Amino acid sequence: MSRGRRAWLLVGGALALAGCGSPAATPVAAPTTQAVPTMVPTAAAPSTTRQPVTTTPAPVDTGASPAPGWLGTRVLAVGPAGYPAARPTPPELLDRRIVTTDVLPPPADGAFHSTVTPVPDSVVRRSTWTAGCPVTLAELRYVTVTFRGFDGRPHTGELLLHRDIADAAVTVFSRLFAAGFPMERMVVTSPAEVAAKPTGDGNTTAAFVCRATRGTTTWSAHAFGRAIDVNPFQNPYLSGTRVIPELATAYLDRGRVLPGVITATGPVVAAFRAVGWTWGGSWTSPTDYMHFSSTGH
């Protein structure tokens, strides 16, 4: 989950809402900043490379448009409860189909590709990992996958995931690409995104974030690299009257089956279920429509 266009954290408002849900069982120790171990390779060869997946050509006109100029700039006031209140969805985002801005080079052949490698130093430095996190760098993997944007085009996304479930996640995203399920953005969550003031309009698909489960002192499944949040804006988090992202209230109406929305019978739940993961959209309280995990939390 993210502030503005960032990954959503369940903090304030622009969460890299990387997996709210049930708390993990391990108490959170305050992270301590340390130098990145020099043993982490800076350019390791991929340990996993998938072959291109045959897909149906994307439609010529997907209805996608550039992001509104104000996206990510309107900071929300924090209320007495310590977080922003939910807000009506702006007209421009009622049917959100924003053209993806490439962070990594897209595949030249338009097919699905993936890599799974040890985490490069350059990625560690822009991630939320520190020596105080509940998972070591040796346990994490840097994963790249091709995803379909709302513009109908293939793009390359990146995730940090636990090594035990990295290949399963690749399988999931290969199936979503083949199904034509669209995503807006997929990048590694940065400390700046976690610390940014809430704008309530982020929509980053993300995985690892070194943080506690909201309202608890135990680690989130995201802090272990064992959870992924998909299209947070189209698939918000709801707990009582709290909504994250705060501007995504129109998407609480799950009868509005629009591009990017996850449904119980759709391809996203089916793909994650096939590898044994659970969906936060099936929870009663909170209900976390964006959240998938290998731990059940």
Side-chain angles (χ1 to χ4, degrees):
M1 294 171 230
S2 97
R3 315 289 183 186
R5 305 181 205 175
R6 301 168 293 269
W8 287 90
L9 234 86
L10 285 177
V11 247
L15 152 77
L17 184 52
C20 343
S22 314
T26 308
V28 172
T32 57
T33 302
Q34 295 186 9
V36 175
T38 55
M39 61 180 170
V40 179
T42 56
S47 61
T48 300
T49 300
R50 299 296 178 99
Q51 295 301 313
V53 173
T54 302
T55 62
T56 301
V60 175
D61 181 9
T62 63
S65 60
W70 53 262
L71 197 73
T73 66
R74 299 174 178 175
V75 176
L76 302 179
V78 175
Y83 52 81
R87 310 292 177 85
T89 302
E92 303 96 313
L93 301 181
L94 286 173
D95 183 359
R96 182 168 178 156
R97 306 187 198 192
I98 292 177
V99 173
T100 295
T101 298
D102 286 308
V103 175
L104 299 175
D109 61 1
F112 180 86
H113 297 273
S114 69
T115 62
V116 176
T117 72
V119 187
D121 287 347
S122 59
V123 175
V124 175
R125 287 191 291 269
R126 59 184 174 85
S127 77
T128 60
W129 187 88
T130 71
C133 295
V135 65
T136 66
L137 280 179
E139 294 175 290
L140 292 175
R141 291 293 180 267
Y142 178 61
V143 179
T144 67
V145 293
T146 308
F147 69 94
R148 185 76 63 189
F150 285 88
D151 50 17
R153 298 177 179 178
H155 303 276
T156 301
E158 58 174 11
L159 301 162
L160 289 184
L161 291 165
H162 195 282
R163 64 189 178 194
D164 291 349
I165 51 88
D167 286 342
V170 168
T171 296
V172 167
F173 284 103
S174 70
R175 291 173 178 173
L176 298 187
F177 183 77
F181 182 83
M183 285 168 270
E184 184 176 321
R185 188 170 184 261
M186 188 190 302
V187 297
V188 170
T189 303
S190 71
E193 291 168 339
V194 173
K197 294 181 178 180
T199 57
D201 56 7
N203 200 25
T204 302
T205 294
F208 173 80
V209 186
C210 189
R211 64 169 182 80
T213 299
R214 176 177 301 284
T216 76
T217 57
T218 54
W219 290 112
S220 163
H222 289 278
F224 294 88
R226 292 183 177 274
I228 299 174
D229 289 333
V230 178
N231 286 349
F233 200 87
Q234 283 91 357
N235 304 286
Y237 165 92
L238 174 65
S239 180
T241 60
R242 188 166 193 192
V243 179
I244 300 174
E246 289 82 359
L247 300 184
T249 50
Y251 281 93
L252 294 176
D253 178 358
R254 305 311 285 177
R256 301 174 70 241
V257 183
L258 299 169
V261 170
I262 297 168
T263 64
T265 58
V268 185
V269 172
F272 277 103
R273 182 179 293 141
V275 297
W277 290 34
T278 58
W279 179 41
S282 64
W283 300 341
T284 301
S285 182
T287 304
D288 198 352
Y289 294 111
M290 71 186 81
H291 183 78
F292 293 88
S293 76
S294 65
T295 65
H297 301 291

